[in-house]
Amino acid sequence: MERLGDIAVIEVSNPPVNAVSQPVRAGLFETVAQAAADHQVKAIVICCAGRTFIAGADIREFGKPMLPPSLPEVINRIEATAKPVVIALHGTALGGGLELALGGHYRVALASARFGLPEVTLGLLPGAGGTQRLPRLVPFSGAVDLITSGRQIGAAQALDLGLIDKIAEGDDARSAGLDYAKVLIEESRAPRPTSALPCNPPEPGALDAARTRLAKSARGQIAPQKALDALQGACDLPFAEGLTQERALFLDLMNSDQRGAMIHAFFAERQVGKLDEIKGIAPRVIQSIGVVGGGTMGAGIATSALLSGLSVTLAERDSEAAERAYAAVTGLLKNAVKRSKLSEAKYVQIKAECFKTTKYYADLAPCDLVVEAVFESLDVKKEVFGKLDAVCKPGAILATNTSYLDVNAIAAMTERPRDVIGLHFFSPAHVMKLLEVVVADNTAPEVTATGFALAKTLGKVAVRSGVCDGFIGNRILSQYRKALDGAVIAGASPYDVDRALVAFGLAMGPYAVSDLAGLDIGWATRKRLAPTRDPCEAYAEFADRLCEMGRFGRKTGRGYYLYAEGRPTPDPEVDAIIAAERTAKGVKTRPLSAQEIVDRYMAAMVNEAARVVEDGIARRPLDVDVTLLNGYGFPRWRGGPMYYADRVGLDKILRDITTLAAEDDFLWQPAPLLQRLVADGKTFSSLNT
Ligand code: 3HC
Ligand code: NAI
């Protein structure tokens, strides 16, 4: 604490994000009491050193015994101080940090500051008064939105809502706090405890409506519903009782599996980029991107780069295709304007200054990095890379967005294999978070580091993958799809499978996803791999039958489902095609329970993932978790397949595999790594470093 005249300044300094760890709580508890007792102090300012105001409770302490003082105790002491307490905010005031700010009497923030209660994204609810104080400051609907979505808002919106009192000029929160405190002293302003305010009333039926909405949008998650219970308490109970109830609900969630899973996901996403091979290596500077091919993926990649402030030149086969790509990208940008992700002025500027399409590869010459997104054909890609090598400037990185093909073979078409890498985006590329950075045999570490840096610029999570058919994600997907096709041949319908896995927590069932992506994509891959297919493989043919009938999914109005009026409905014709295959193969069908379907899905996923780790394609089990969570819709509240496998027990997964081998001993060969871990009594997490 520092005393400047009649103002006490308490500055929290706990790099990197000023998390409220036990020492910070103890320090605040003590210094606030000291400042309150100092007769010369007329006002107190609480601010933070470094890049941000407090970003929340220290997540590393979760799951361990909680040491006093608790955060609610600290905040209650701040609020009970008989002198005005000013909270000076900058960076990201999140979770317990924002709750602490709500316990202050006056809040001033820099214009760049952001605010949020992200606890639900960690399987928690605000447990230090956030659910009780926020609806006393902002409209009830605003509190419900912030608390149940975990989203962040900027300073202007925070001011509008009543969350903060003032936006300060400049970039020094501490000075802004001091200036504000001086004014408060001059005006003899009294403390203004938030808890003394009445709770803003909800619109009639608002809580019930929120429950119904969240039951759909946050299906399977406990925390958002519990957060509504706490908010209900803010309406119905005196403040102190509401606070007690909130804390009890928070502690319940702290002990839940979902909290453990979501915090695993949080740390895994930060660990995934920590790789020895790029430690301390400076990435190349990327300002301009080239994209070759402006179809589904090329248009999405270009949009993602433009939205992140990069300039883009997109090359297509001819003028007509270039025009189509231009319209596709500007259409996606226009949608971003509609959804308030981009201002109209910025849209106009991007169109005028940052984006062009061309039919000439030579126009890609000045680009720092070029992503190829042409048809999934090795011959076409090899030709494109030969041309790119000839025109691109020295030092430019050449990347392929291939889903399955051999990045080494593509790199070999150039004189610069060190500069070639796979950057595997997911569809829609301007939305999906995952980027697989596929490192080929000769890729330079600096180029790998640039892949990771680019992901950060694009707001994506990058995972390192080695080269193999399908890399981490699609390789695992291929195996679990075969296992699910096996379930269908054994007696389940594709609709049973989708239902079981949606109930498990997937946003969409795998067969519905295939319809969305287009069944022709998988068909092309199966045809490509047919010559090397082992004759012992039990190959399910019904997907090929559908494709032969032109049933490519949503885009043709029919796939596994029928899409009359856009909505998917099961189709008896598909059941009949499957029944015919079972009869031809002499399969005696049996019903499969939802649990059996889930167990089979998880067993296939975990078994292949263990191979992917053992082969070094994924560096660690956590890389698999991050891949499946961000690219394949695996429910975050289950932590990822490897985390899930550790929780249910690797011995159980291995037993399931052994049982399934009785049905198909080609597909269900246990991975040696899985067998070793079971024999040694170890978990996948023991391999996460
Ligand atoms: N506790 C402990 N460590 C944290 C942390 C936290 N709350 N928040 C971030 N960190 C660590 C990260 O693990 C990372 O560590 P590393 O360098 O060793 O990997 C480091 O801080 C930097 O984090 P990022 O890489 O994420 O840095 P960014 O600048 O990209 O993002 C951030 C900063 C926006 C603050 C982001 O880290 C974030 O969202 N943090 C989590 C915030 C949060 O969820 N707070 C709520 C906690 S729960 C709570 O407060 C309970 C309360 O209601 C009682
Ligand atoms: P697409 O068929 O929608 O688009 C390909 C585009 O490339 C077309 O517009 C075509 O005109 C253009 N093109 C073809 N040859 C070209 C050349 N020589 N020069 C310039 N342009 C050329 O294909 P899509 O779906 O965008 O896929 C592209 C790549 O991305 C493929 O390698 C695919 O495997 C991969 N991918 C696809 C995903 C998806 O969900 N569609 C997901 C992740 C990767």
Side-chain angles (χ1 to χ4, degrees):
M1 177 178 77
E2 188 184 1
R3 195 151 63 68
L4 299 169
D6 48 10
I7 300 173
V9 179
I10 300 173
E11 187 174 76
V12 175
S13 178
N14 184 25
V17 297
N18 289 314
V20 243
S21 57
Q22 192 278 336
V24 172
R25 294 197 301 274
L28 277 166
F29 199 67
E30 205 44 51
T31 42
V32 168
Q34 274 169 24
D38 185 335
H39 296 301
Q40 298 191 20
V41 169
K42 293 195 179 141
I44 300 168
V45 173
I46 299 179
C47 59
C48 285
R51 69 196 223 209
T52 180
F53 192 75
I54 296 166
D58 189 334
I59 301 173
R60 288 164 308 182
E61 290 180 354
F62 292 177
K64 300 179 188 155
M66 272 191 214
L67 298 173
S70 71
L71 189 54
E73 283 166 341
V74 175
I75 296 173
N76 288 346
R77 174 168 279 191
I78 292 170
E79 193 178 54
T81 304
K83 301 168 182 179
V85 180
V86 174
I87 310 288
L89 299 143
H90 76 292
T92 40
L94 301 177
L98 182 57
E99 291 178 287
L100 187 140
L102 300 176
H105 304 139
Y106 298 90
R107 283 158 291 277
V108 57
L110 298 186
S112 54
R114 297 189 66 75
F115 310 87
L117 291 167
E119 284 86 346
V120 286
T121 66
L122 300 174
L124 290 168
L125 54 79
T131 64
Q132 306 303 298
R133 289 192 177 91
L134 190 64
R136 286 174 157 80
L137 284 177
V138 311
F140 196 85
S141 59
V144 170
D145 170 35
L146 284 175
I147 288 171
T148 59
S149 72
R151 75 186 180 91
Q152 291 181 17
I153 56 169
Q157 198 182 347
L159 184 67
D160 226 30
L161 283 170
L163 181 59
I164 57 173
D165 301 293
K166 191 171 159 35
I167 297 178
E169 307 264 304
D171 57 5
D172 183 354
R174 181 188 159 102
S175 303
L178 270 167
D179 290 347
Y180 197 15
K182 281 179 200 153
V183 173
L184 294 174
I185 293 169
E186 268 164 37
E187 295 178 356
S188 304
R189 300 278 283 274
R192 205 182 45 170
T194 308
S195 63
L197 301 170
C199 178
N200 290 316
E203 297 280 313
L207 272 164
D208 287 343
R211 277 192 199 287
T212 312
R213 182 173 47 76
L214 286 162
K216 275 196 198 144
S217 65
R219 193 166 38 82
Q221 291 180 49
I222 319 166
Q225 296 289 344
K226 295 265 183 203
L228 290 178
D229 293 346
L231 280 158
Q232 177 93 55
C235 306
D236 299 345
L237 302 172
F239 179 80
E241 283 175 40
L243 205 59
T244 307
Q245 177 186 276
E246 175 202 82
R247 192 68 181 168
L249 291 165
F250 173 78
L251 293 175
D252 274 357
L253 289 175
M254 188 59 92
N255 292 323
S256 70
D257 286 345
Q258 294 197 0
R259 191 275 302 163
M262 289 170 104
I263 282 178
H264 163 74
F266 176 86
F267 282 120
E269 282 170 1
R270 277 148 188 86
Q271 191 65 20
V272 77
K274 294 193 174 112
L275 298 166
D276 286 344
E277 71 194 90
I278 55 171
K279 200 170 175 186
I281 293 185
R284 291 185 195 163
V285 175
I286 305 294
Q287 282 165 340
S288 58
I289 300 252
V291 177
V292 187
T296 310
M297 292 308 290
I301 294 165
T303 305
S304 172
L306 290 166
L307 288 172
S308 307
L310 300 169
S311 66
V312 174
T313 305
L314 190 156
E316 256 290 353
R317 286 187 289 181
D318 51 43
S319 308
E320 239 174 63
E323 271 168 38
R324 267 200 310 275
Y326 187 85
V329 173
T330 49
L332 292 173
L333 291 172
K334 204 76 206 152
N335 278 343
V337 174
K338 265 193 220 141
R339 283 180 289 112
S340 308
K341 304 256 177 219
L342 184 70
S343 70
E344 182 69 36
K346 192 79 193 142
Y347 168 72
V348 171
Q349 190 222 336
I350 287 176
K351 271 196 1 172
E353 295 168 24
C354 308
F355 179 49
K356 66 172 186 224
T357 55
T358 178
K359 63 174 176 178
Y360 302 111
Y361 278 48
D363 289 340
L364 302 170
C367 293
D368 301 317
L369 180 146
V370 178
V371 187
E372 163 279 310
V374 303
F375 303 132
E376 184 75 340
S377 145
L378 193 56
D379 289 341
V380 177
K381 291 193 191 282
K382 280 180 168 176
E383 192 194 324
V384 169
F385 270 72
K387 285 190 195 164
L388 289 176
D389 192 27
V391 300
C392 290
K393 68 179 180 188
I397 293 174
L398 307 184
T400 173
N401 182 47
T402 179
S403 308
Y404 287 92
L405 300 174
D406 182 355
V407 183
N408 285 315
I410 294 170
M413 295 313 292
T414 72
E415 299 290 318
R416 53 172 113 186
R418 285 172 57 76
D419 292 341
V420 176
I421 195 161
L423 290 179
H424 184 214
F425 291 79
F426 287 71
S427 179
H430 58 296
V431 175
M432 293 294 284
K433 281 262 177 214
L434 182 64
L435 181 67
E436 278 182 312
V437 174
V438 185
V439 180
D441 291 350
N442 294 310
T443 306
E446 187 191 326
V447 172
T448 307
T450 310
F452 276 83
L454 177 68
K456 193 151 190 163
T457 305
L458 301 179
K460 299 196 184 294
V461 184
V463 178
R464 183 207 192 277
S465 172
V467 176
C468 69
D469 209 275
F471 317 123
I472 299 176
N474 281 347
R475 176 169 155 181
I476 294 172
L477 167 87
S478 298
Q479 281 307 102
Y480 70 70
R481 281 308 308 266
K482 282 181 195 167
L484 295 176
D485 285 355
V488 169
I489 294 295
S493 75
Y495 316 115
D496 294 333
V497 171
D498 278 1
R499 258 192 308 273
L501 294 179
V502 167
F504 177 70
L506 267 68
M508 274 174 96
Y511 291 102
V513 169
S514 298
D515 274 1
L516 193 63
L519 300 191
D520 47 327
I521 295 180
W523 194 29
T525 306
R526 290 195 298 279
K527 284 194 277 196
R528 177 170 61 80
L529 295 178
T532 53
R533 188 178 304 130
D534 194 309
C536 297
E537 180 179 336
Y539 181 76
E541 293 161 23
F542 55 84
D544 294 351
R545 294 293 92 78
L546 296 182
C547 291
E548 286 155 12
M549 296 164 77
R551 300 182 67 128
F552 291 155
R554 268 181 195 256
K555 60 187 166 192
T556 55
R558 298 182 314 159
Y560 286 102
Y561 294 83
L562 287 175
Y563 294 89
E565 290 156 31
R567 288 225 323 275
T569 43
D571 184 359
E573 197 179 3
V574 172
D575 290 327
I577 290 166
I578 294 164
E581 185 176 344
R582 289 175 185 140
T583 308
K585 289 179 170 167
V587 176
K588 218 168 135 222
T589 59
R590 61 185 182 84
L592 274 81
S593 71
Q595 188 59 49
E596 253 184 288
I597 291 168
V598 168
D599 286 348
R600 180 185 289 252
Y601 164 76
M602 286 312 307
M605 191 181 301
V606 171
N607 202 34
E608 189 61 17
R611 287 204 173 87
V612 162
V613 171
E614 184 150 42
D615 295 351
I617 299 300
R619 283 274 192 250
R620 301 146 297 189
L622 69 85
D623 297 54
V624 173
D625 283 344
V626 174
T627 302
L628 270 292
L629 289 174
N630 290 285
Y632 296 82
F634 196 89
R636 194 173 179 83
W637 50 273
R638 292 195 187 271
M642 307 308 250
Y643 181 86
Y644 174 91
D646 278 352
R647 301 295 296 176
V648 298
L650 299 191
D651 51 343
K652 139 97 177 134
I653 302 274
L654 187 58
R655 270 199 311 279
D656 286 349
I657 292 168
T658 315
T659 310
L660 285 157
E663 181 188 294
D664 175 357
D665 65 356
F666 180 82
L667 184 64
W668 296 102
Q669 287 296 314
L673 174 63
L674 182 62
Q675 287 175 310
R676 274 202 312 280
L677 289 173
V678 171
D680 297 347
K682 288 192 173 155
T683 57
F684 282 123
S685 72
S686 68
L687 306 176
N688 284 335
T689 50

